[in-house]
Amino acid sequence: DTAVSQTPKYLVTQMGNDKSIKCEQNLGHDTMYWYKQDSKKFLKIMFSYNNKELIINETVPNRFSPKSPDKAHLNLHINSLELGDSAVYFCASSLPAKNIQYFGAGTRLSVL
Amino acid sequence: SQQGEEDPQALSIQEGENATMNCSYKTSINNLQWYRQNSGRGLVHLILIRSNEREKHSGRLRVTLDTSKKSSSLLITASRAADTASYFCATDPSGGYQKVTFGTGTKLQVIP
């Protein structure tokens, strides 16, 4: 069973569209994250939720809205997509004690 | 920002040789972690070293931590072609909900 799964794996869309990425973890972790990895492989945290509560909200355009319906799921909705949003988006989860991150396989978003 | 910087950015070695990657960071940490990312995949946790530890081993991996110099190194001994990947250090300022901050990564190529 995949520990952290995110869908879709690839997302190609036009500028201005709205899209969502879904993430689910079956590790029983309380904390989930969204990261953005750019073309230079720089990995930057965007959001973190602990047991459905938003605890980290980095400087991210408000076109990005995370939603956590329960502690096993964290979705990311992006409005009015821009060219600069093209990147790989990773979902991750962790236990608070050690903060070891367990990553999904990533969603490669291409905005045309 | 507490982002770690890794050195070198890229490293190419022959199979069987040792590979050493370095990470420098800026502020105090509780622990430092190393992750591997294979091409097109998510990051995978390799090893965690706590701030009160100086060295840790796991299989062919050896990690050192020098908190006075705010630096860490990852040594992979007897490298294999399968070790080809990008390697990231990640600093954890504390347990709980503090964010893990990833370094810029070292791209390792092991030539068979």
Side-chain angles (χ1 to χ4, degrees):
Chain A
D1 278 351
T2 304
V4 181
S5 60
Q6 53 182 109
T7 55
K9 190 168 174 63
Y10 299 97
L11 195 48
V12 181
T13 188
Q14 298 288 329
M15 238 177 9
N17 284 351
D18 303 339
K19 290 292 178 186
S20 292
I21 307 171
K22 295 186 176 182
C23 179
E24 175 182 4
Q25 55 96 2
N26 63 5
L27 297 168
H29 292 165
D30 286 340
T31 309
M32 296 185 72
Y33 311 81
W34 278 111
Y35 288 89
K36 179 181 180 180
Q37 187 174 46
D38 63 23
S39 57
K40 295 184 178 179
K41 300 290 190 184
F42 175 43
L43 194 67
K44 183 174 169 57
I45 191 168
M46 300 172 68
F47 302 103
S48 177
Y49 272 74
N50 184 73
N51 207 5
K52 301 193 296 178
E53 180 186 347
L54 181 65
I55 54 171
I56 295 174
N57 185 352
E58 291 295 286
T59 307
V60 176
N62 56 17
R63 298 182 295 104
F64 290 79
S65 53
K67 282 190 172 53
S68 181
D70 55 60
K71 73 173 194 177
H73 294 84
L74 180 61
N75 304 322
L76 182 65
H77 188 76
I78 316 170
N79 289 325
S80 303
L81 278 155
E82 300 177 357
L83 293 175
D85 297 333
S86 295
V88 182
Y89 292 84
F90 287 100
C91 177
S93 69
S94 73
L95 287 168
K98 288 187 178 179
N99 240 346
I100 293 174
Q101 314 276 298
Y102 293 79
F103 282 81
T107 295
R108 183 173 294 276
L109 172 64
S110 298
V111 182
L112 307 177
Chain B
S1 156
Q2 189 174 289
Q3 178 192 345
E5 290 189 7
E6 296 184 55
D7 168 55
Q9 287 188 332
L11 180 60
S12 184
I13 59 173
Q14 296 289 330
E15 203 166 28
E17 294 180 338
N18 295 342
T20 300
M21 290 157 262
N22 303 297
C23 169
S24 60
Y25 57 92
K26 295 177 183 174
T27 61
S28 297
I29 60 170
N30 274 357
N31 68 59
L32 186 142
Q33 304 170 33
W34 285 90
Y35 290 78
R36 182 187 74 229
Q37 184 180 29
N38 290 89
S39 180
R41 310 290 291 272
L43 281 74
V44 174
H45 180 259
L46 295 175
I47 194 166
L48 179 151
I49 186 166
R50 298 187 190 280
S51 60
N52 61 356
E53 297 175 310
R54 291 297 167 256
E55 188 170 313
K56 201 159 183 182
H57 296 254
S58 176
R60 294 184 294 111
L61 305 180
R62 173 180 165 240
V63 170
T64 61
L65 179 64
D66 186 336
T67 52
S68 66
K69 294 181 180 177
K70 292 186 169 58
S71 67
S72 174
S73 67
L74 171 68
L75 168 68
I76 304 174
T77 59
S79 64
R80 305 167 182 167
D83 295 328
T84 294
S86 292
Y87 292 81
F88 294 86
C89 66
T91 50
D92 182 1
S94 68
Y97 307 142
Q98 295 298 318
K99 62 183 180 183
V100 167
T101 304
F102 287 82
T104 50
T106 293
K107 189 168 184 177
L108 172 66
Q109 181 186 26
V110 181
I111 303 167

